[in-house]
Amino acid sequence: MIDLRLLREDPDRVRASQRARGEDVALVDALLSADERRRSSGVRFDELRAEQKSLGKLIPKASAEERAELLGRAEQLKTEVKAADAESDAADAETQELLLRLGNLVHPGVPVGGEEDFVTLETHGTIRDFGAEGFEPKDHLELGQLLGAIDVERGAKVSGSRFYFLTGVGALLELALVNAAIGQATAAGFTPMLTPALVRPQSMAGTGFLGQAAQDVYHLDKDDLYLVGTSEVPLAAYHMDEIIDAERLPLRYAGFSPCFRREAGSHGKDTKGIFRVHQFDKVEMFSYVSPEDSEAEHQRLLEWEKQWLTSLELPFRVIDVATGDLGSSAARKFDCEAWIPTQGKYRELTSTSDCTEFQSRRLSIRVREGKQVRPLATLNGTLCAVPRTIVAILENHQRADGSVYVPEVLRPYLGGREVLEPVAK
């Protein structure tokens, strides 16, 4: 959530942020009104309680005639205090409810617009000309079947559409990717973490995933627990309700977890293969830093993502995501999109978001600097979303005979293999 003081002092900035996101601007004025009622009713309650205490001291010293009048006023005050307390609680609850619906303040450098209004910042690698090489590229599903690596038919039989099995070398490729990614993160100073896949509502809400993203979240009604769509959720909630000494910052974690997404808004999109699925594994970077260091940390996370994709020898570009495609928690987001040959376009492989103080305020995570205690900043960055990375590797590194070149960074985790060979024709 944002700082209420900032809302009061500069409501136009908050309105502009909501407008840029394509969100309800009227929410800002409703929140200002609720906040004013909350503060005024709180003042009224305090004034009545003070009078009540003062009256309590006067009654024992009063004459019989005065005592009757004071007791009458005391009864009246009792009713007024109860009403003021109820009014204050109601206004506070409304303020908090509206505040939780408000997105993070957009960074002024973010391009304004929708999904297609991003700005390309960098392009890396060379896109292969398969025509010049004399063959038509196969898609990742055909390659996966040739290699005995991907089985979507049995995935659908067992679990339904958008589920899959990674088999044989496919399973080994996932483990190689995860180990290599964790190795890079550990070398960069991240603490490796295996995180819970189920979290309580306060953890999911605190990270901002029960707002506009709620339709994509799996909820277990019987247990009132949520399946995480990313280990960002448990990593953000890891220090919930804690005060962290400034000397400990930055805190950096690399979480590995299964991820579950309903993909409610993606009907008819990416239905073939394993690009868009309901369950997948991912290595996620997460940072806790001082608010003043969040922009620099955002660049660091992006550099680690670029290092990873470069080590996989993939052609990719970096985009500055537009305001309407940020997600409620992010003030700014950079995506790295790899080239997918059979689609003829770049597709998102990694994403890194600067959430500034938005999540820490909701989760009550603060930093102690001397005598001062204040919210800190949180950031997240995908290092390796496994299925999409497998898609990019198979398609970009394929050979005419259906074999696939193995990037050097993965070979130590694949028994030294330089090529994945077809097992079925």
Side-chain angles (χ1 to χ4, degrees):
M1 64 181 71
I2 68 168
D3 187 350
L4 269 174
R5 286 177 300 177
L6 187 151
L7 176 72
R8 297 182 205 118
E9 294 167 3
D10 195 357
D12 285 341
R13 181 183 170 192
V14 184
R15 291 189 187 99
S17 178
Q18 283 289 97
R19 193 175 296 111
R21 286 180 172 276
E23 298 290 335
D24 184 10
V25 177
L27 179 61
V28 177
D29 294 308
L31 180 53
L32 283 168
S33 176
D35 179 50
E36 175 56 36
R37 291 196 302 276
R38 179 184 68 87
R39 290 190 294 156
S40 61
S41 61
V43 169
R44 173 66 175 157
F45 173 78
D46 290 342
E47 289 173 346
L48 290 170
R49 282 289 292 140
E51 184 182 352
Q52 201 175 37
K53 289 178 181 178
S54 177
L55 205 62
K57 295 176 182 178
L58 291 175
I59 289 173
K61 303 174 184 177
S63 63
E65 185 178 330
E66 290 174 330
R67 185 179 293 111
E69 183 179 345
L70 291 174
L71 286 170
R73 176 57 181 155
E75 279 300 310
Q76 184 182 359
L77 271 175
K78 185 178 179 181
T79 302
E80 291 178 5
V81 165
K82 187 176 181 180
D85 190 28
E87 183 181 349
S88 178
D89 287 346
D92 184 60
E94 183 183 359
T95 300
Q96 291 303 311
E97 189 270 331
L98 292 171
L99 193 55
L100 288 172
R101 288 167 50 192
L102 201 64
N104 199 358
L105 289 178
V106 173
H107 186 283
V110 176
V112 176
E115 185 177 354
E116 300 302 320
D117 296 310
F118 60 83
V119 171
T120 300
L121 302 176
E122 307 169 27
T123 303
H124 297 264
T126 302
I127 294 173
R128 284 175 66 184
D129 184 348
F130 286 94
E133 295 181 34
F135 73 99
E136 186 75 19
K138 299 176 178 64
D139 68 30
H140 75 276
L141 184 55
E142 184 178 357
L143 289 163
Q145 290 168 340
L146 285 172
L147 296 168
I150 301 171
D151 191 335
V152 294
E153 290 182 3
R154 289 186 176 90
K157 178 180 70 174
V158 172
S159 302
S161 63
R162 298 186 192 266
F163 288 92
Y164 61 96
F165 284 88
L166 291 180
T167 57
V169 75
L172 295 177
L173 184 55
E174 155 147 356
L175 295 173
L177 285 165
V178 170
N179 277 288
I182 289 291
Q184 178 190 301
T186 304
F190 285 80
T191 300
M193 304 275 277
L194 297 177
T195 63
L198 289 165
V199 297
R200 292 175 171 174
Q202 56 265 46
S203 299
M204 190 67 81
T207 42
F209 284 94
L210 292 186
Q212 61 185 191
Q215 64 174 353
D216 269 340
V217 176
Y218 285 103
H219 182 232
L220 280 64
D221 294 320
K222 187 175 181 180
D223 304 286
D224 196 20
L225 292 171
Y226 289 90
L227 283 166
V228 299
T230 166
S231 59
E232 172 192 342
V233 177
L235 290 175
Y238 186 64
H239 289 294
M240 181 168 54
D241 298 323
E242 294 181 20
I243 298 174
I244 299 168
D245 289 330
E247 294 74 21
R248 295 181 61 196
L249 299 181
L251 288 172
R252 298 188 179 111
Y253 302 114
F256 172 70
S257 76
C259 305
F260 303 88
R261 299 185 184 182
R262 295 182 63 241
E263 296 291 354
S266 63
H267 300 297
K269 292 168 62 178
D270 300 312
T271 55
K272 185 178 182 182
I274 62 170
F275 190 85
R276 190 185 297 273
V277 290
H278 290 309
Q279 178 183 343
F280 60 96
D281 295 326
K282 181 156 67 86
V283 177
E284 181 83 2
M285 299 179 290
F286 197 89
S287 299
Y288 295 85
V289 301
S290 67
E292 294 78 16
D293 195 35
S294 71
E295 287 192 44
E297 184 71 3
H298 200 196
Q299 289 296 326
R300 293 183 198 108
L301 289 169
L302 178 58
E303 288 301 317
W304 282 313
E305 291 180 345
K306 288 159 57 180
Q307 176 188 339
W308 171 244
L309 295 179
T310 299
S311 74
L312 296 176
E313 303 173 45
L314 295 172
F316 68 95
R317 70 181 180 185
V318 180
I319 67 169
D320 197 349
V321 176
T323 53
D325 198 32
L326 282 179
S328 64
S329 298
R332 191 170 202 172
K333 180 166 73 168
F334 301 125
D335 284 355
C336 291
E337 301 181 326
W339 179 256
I340 307 299
T342 61
Q343 296 185 22
K345 57 185 176 182
Y346 290 98
R347 301 299 304 273
E348 178 194 337
L349 244 60
T350 72
S351 182
T352 178
S353 297
D354 181 359
C355 296
T356 60
E357 302 167 27
F358 186 82
Q359 293 176 331
S360 66
R361 287 183 182 277
R362 296 162 75 104
L363 293 165
S364 188
I365 308 170
R366 293 168 291 169
V367 58
R368 179 184 285 110
E369 299 163 326
K371 294 183 179 179
Q372 184 186 24
V373 174
R374 59 176 180 144
L376 43 66
T378 62
L379 302 95
N380 62 80
T382 311
L383 192 53
C384 182
V386 173
R388 291 191 175 196
T389 306
I390 289 177
V391 170
I393 287 173
L394 295 185
E395 293 208 10
N396 282 284
H397 295 322
Q398 64 179 290
R399 295 175 173 178
D401 62 357
S403 64
V404 175
Y405 162 83
V406 176
E408 190 172 343
V409 69
L410 299 179
R411 293 175 190 172
Y413 308 100
L414 284 167
R417 283 183 179 91
E418 297 182 8
V419 178
L420 305 180
E421 298 285 357
V423 297
K425 299 293 184 183

